[in-house]
Amino acid sequence: MVRKTLLAAVAAAALAAPVQAQDLGDIVTGVAQEYLRQEQDRATFAQAQQAGTLRAYQSYLQQFPQGIYAAEARQQIQRLGGRTTAAAPANPYGGGGVDLTRDQRLVVQRRLNALGYTTGGIDASFGPSTRRAIGLWQRDRGYTQTGVLNRAQANELLRGTAAAAPAAGTATAGQPAAATSVASAAQAEANLRLSRQQRLAIQAGLTRRGFDTRGVDGIFGRGTRGAISGWQRANDAPATGYLTAAQAQRLSR
């Protein structure tokens, strides 16, 4: 039964967000981890119910402060005469990181997709596909790849600008020069507002030149970013993985 449920969840994620074959493992891992976390949540609360003690419910809350049964556990603790610290309600549009409104999450997903990081839909739900997109975006900017946004990263996506807009090659506090350079390049490419047809033409151009994008699908994912970087290095240009207007025009021919 567990296996069937897990396979169904993986299939649903794959249908909702078509990805390249090399990235399927990331989705499987994300879905599996979320499913196992939920199963552990249920099992731990079931043990607390079976014990029926104050300590058991407190132990559950320590492990799952925003768990599926957190509200019920707090009620049981109060009923048993214990005290629990009131916690802020879990954000219904995703777990971990900075709290965002539904509208803000929609903006973040739109922004990620515009930059070529597919979220598998724009629905304000930060599921495995969106977490994966965030992680790839973080990696490409030199941030720690967590899949969870901190406040500065969320603001960068919401505003549609690289944080602080430093001069090229200049490091900001807590961010290396290489990261700021990539962030600036990413913003410059985003400003081009490349259409899907233009992205297809660019991918085709890279493929003709011997730089494998791992698919010509109009999505600038990991394979395309790697191909762009390789082409840029071969042409003695900064290997940012993001295109300037001149580079995009050249590759489209």
Side-chain angles (χ1 to χ4, degrees):
M1 181 64 183
V2 172
R3 183 181 178 184
K4 288 182 179 179
T5 304
L6 179 56
L7 289 174
V10 172
L15 289 172
V19 295
Q20 298 175 18
Q22 73 272 15
D23 294 332
L24 182 58
D26 294 338
I27 290 181
V28 173
T29 298
V31 172
Q33 288 177 344
E34 178 62 19
Y35 177 76
L36 292 175
R37 187 194 67 78
Q38 292 178 1
E39 287 301 301
Q40 186 179 5
D41 187 329
R42 293 188 181 96
T44 303
F45 186 72
Q47 291 174 356
Q49 283 184 309
Q50 186 175 6
T53 64
L54 178 62
R55 182 174 180 179
Y57 286 114
Q58 289 174 332
S59 177
Y60 167 81
L61 276 181
Q62 287 176 353
Q63 297 178 65
F64 300 96
Q66 301 291 352
I68 301 171
Y69 308 98
E72 188 173 348
R74 291 189 178 91
Q75 290 175 358
Q76 293 298 328
I77 289 173
Q78 292 175 354
R79 183 181 65 82
L80 293 168
R83 297 180 62 185
T84 178
T85 302
N91 192 320
Y93 303 109
V98 63
D99 284 336
L100 299 174
T101 66
R102 184 177 188 278
D103 287 344
Q104 287 175 324
R105 287 175 177 266
L106 289 170
V107 171
V108 166
Q109 287 179 319
R110 290 192 189 101
R111 184 65 180 160
L112 286 167
N113 280 283
L115 291 172
Y117 302 96
T118 180
T119 62
I122 300 175
D123 55 7
S125 177
F126 280 17
S129 295
T130 297
R131 293 298 178 194
R132 170 185 166 276
I134 291 172
L136 294 176
W137 177 83
Q138 290 170 324
R139 180 203 65 186
D140 290 344
R141 280 156 181 73
Y143 301 134
T144 301
Q145 188 175 349
T146 64
V148 177
L149 296 170
N150 60 30
R151 173 56 65 185
Q153 293 166 359
N155 285 341
E156 183 175 335
L157 283 167
L158 290 169
R159 294 169 183 166
T161 58
T170 302
T172 59
Q175 186 178 12
T180 60
S181 177
V182 170
S184 298
Q187 181 58 45
E189 182 188 286
N191 290 339
L192 298 177
R193 299 185 180 277
L194 297 171
S195 67
R196 184 172 185 274
Q197 290 303 316
Q198 289 174 309
R199 288 173 179 266
L200 288 169
I202 288 168
Q203 287 176 318
L206 285 165
T207 302
R208 286 196 305 271
R209 291 167 171 81
F211 298 91
D212 185 11
T213 61
R214 301 181 187 178
V216 178
D217 54 9
I219 298 173
F220 281 14
R222 185 184 305 177
T224 300
R225 293 300 174 194
I228 291 173
S229 295
W231 178 79
Q232 288 171 327
R233 280 192 294 269
N235 287 272
D236 297 322
T240 63
Y242 294 90
L243 296 168
T244 64
Q247 291 170 346
Q249 184 176 9
R250 180 178 172 185
L251 284 170
S252 297
R253 295 171 182 168

